[in-house]
Amino acid sequence: MAFSLFMIMGMVALIPSIHSTTALAIAMAVWGITQAALFLVSHVRLMKTAPETPAFGASLNISGANLGIGLGAIVGGHVIDNFGLGSLGYAASGFIGLSILLALVLMRGPLSEATQV
């Protein structure tokens, strides 16, 4: 959850800091570091959930990442066309907010109890 919140901060700070090289570098660094960390965290969690099929789990993780890239490009293009470039960070942050809600729901559901064993 912490990495997700840092990623939201980086995305929201990106556009307002575009005129300052230092602020832009900091926002990009926060975004990039948290993106890499989130991918690794999801990969480790997936490997722990299905240790008997690591190759299949890894392929699912990569497929999910590629799906996210594709959907992000589609939605991002729509946001830029309709609301302007300045809204892109807020739209991306909305997706992360939805993913946080989904994670909270899944952690409370019956599947979470099965993976805790």
Side-chain angles (χ1 to χ4, degrees):
M1 293 299 169
F3 286 120
S4 295
L5 295 175
F6 277 115
M7 184 174 254
I8 288 172
M9 290 188 308
M11 288 179 168
V12 169
L14 191 64
I15 298 300
S17 64
I18 205 159
H19 297 292
S20 167
T21 305
T22 304
L24 182 61
I26 291 169
M28 292 285 293
V30 169
W31 184 4
I33 290 167
T34 55
Q35 186 277 331
L38 284 168
F39 182 78
L40 292 174
V41 167
S42 69
H43 190 77
V44 168
R45 288 181 61 98
L46 188 59
M47 291 298 120
K48 285 182 177 181
T49 302
E52 62 280 349
T53 57
F56 180 66
S59 68
L60 283 178
N61 195 33
I62 297 296
S63 297
N66 287 328
L67 178 64
I69 290 168
L71 289 173
I74 291 168
V75 172
H78 180 74
V79 168
I80 291 170
D81 283 346
N82 292 299
F83 304 104
L85 186 60
S87 300
L88 192 58
Y90 298 112
S93 296
F95 272 100
I96 296 173
L98 288 174
S99 70
I100 290 171
L101 290 175
L102 178 61
L104 291 172
V105 168
L106 291 175
M107 287 189 307
R108 296 185 198 290
L111 271 178
S112 66
E113 293 167 6
T115 59
Q116 298 290 325
V117 177

